[in-house]
Amino acid sequence: MCAARNLWSGLLFGVGAAAFVDETVFHQLLRWHHFYDKSTTDVGLISDGLFHAFSWFATIGGLFIFADLRRRSALRLPRWWSGVLLGSGMFQLYDGTVQHKLMRLHQIRYVDNLAVYDWIWNLIAVLLIVAGLLLAYRTRKDTLHEE
């Protein structure tokens, strides 16, 4: 049970952290896009605010579970980090495939050669997921005897 809670805490935190970085870097600092680019700039800014709120709910949810695990002396940081990597990668891959390509809510950047950006975005996502899976598999043995 603790292994799953460590993983879920990391997953939520990872999703929230990746969304936070996306929102801060690409939406606000670089201003490459908004969460929803099919309307006016005002609607884009509102959609960014809702997206930002979502990222904080996920982050805070993950940290509540983290605090509970720590209080119970059940926190396993390597297992938690595997969840963080998985959550970050899954968020980024979902964003890059579903939101960018299938739903076309926004693109990473509005340039002629978008494929370069898409490949880098999704490749980083896959690397995060693979690293998270490897770490989750490696920490599986550490948590088997607890359950």
Side-chain angles (χ1 to χ4, degrees), residues 3-4 12 18 23 27 42 48 54 58-59 61 70 82 88 101 106 122 134 137 141:
L12 281 173
E23 166 69 21
H27 295 219
D42 285 344
D48 283 348
F54 160 77
T59 304
R70 188 176 167 144
S82 72
S88 298
K101 297 305 169 195
H106 61 264
N122 291 324
L134 289 174
Y137 180 77
K141 293 177 183 172

Side-chain angles (χ1 to χ4, degrees), residues 19-140:
F20 175 79
V21 169
D22 180 25
E23 166 69 21
T24 303
V25 174
F26 297 103
H27 295 219
Q28 294 175 353
L29 296 175
L30 296 174
R31 292 185 275 167
W32 283 2
H33 61 260
H34 297 292
F35 180 77
Y36 186 72
D37 277 338
K38 291 184 168 182
S39 186
T40 64
T41 301
D42 285 344
V43 171
L45 289 172
I46 290 169
S47 70
D48 283 348
L50 294 172
F51 177 58
H52 204 57
F54 160 77
S55 75
W56 275 110
F57 285 127
T59 304
I60 290 170
L63 289 176
F64 267 112
I65 299 171
F66 182 93
D68 184 56
L69 288 166
R70 188 176 167 144
R71 183 179 60 82
R72 295 171 191 244
S73 299
L75 180 64
R76 303 293 179 263
L77 273 178
R79 185 80 172 168
W80 186 80
W81 274 107
S82 72
V84 171
L85 292 168
L86 281 169
S88 298
M90 290 186 323
F91 167 81
Q92 191 159 332
L93 190 60
Y94 168 79
D95 187 41
T97 55
V98 175
Q99 293 179 346
H100 293 178
K101 297 305 169 195
L102 295 176
M103 297 171 74
R104 298 188 179 274
L105 295 177
H106 61 264
Q107 297 297 324
I108 295 174
R109 192 171 187 189
Y110 295 95
V111 295
D112 289 336
N113 194 3
L114 180 61
V116 172
Y117 291 93
D118 286 337
W119 275 103
I120 291 170
W121 188 263
N122 291 324
L123 182 63
I124 291 170
V126 169
L127 291 174
L128 288 168
I129 291 170
V130 169
L133 287 173
L134 289 174
L135 190 55
Y137 180 77
R138 191 169 163 216
T139 59
R140 177 184 60 95

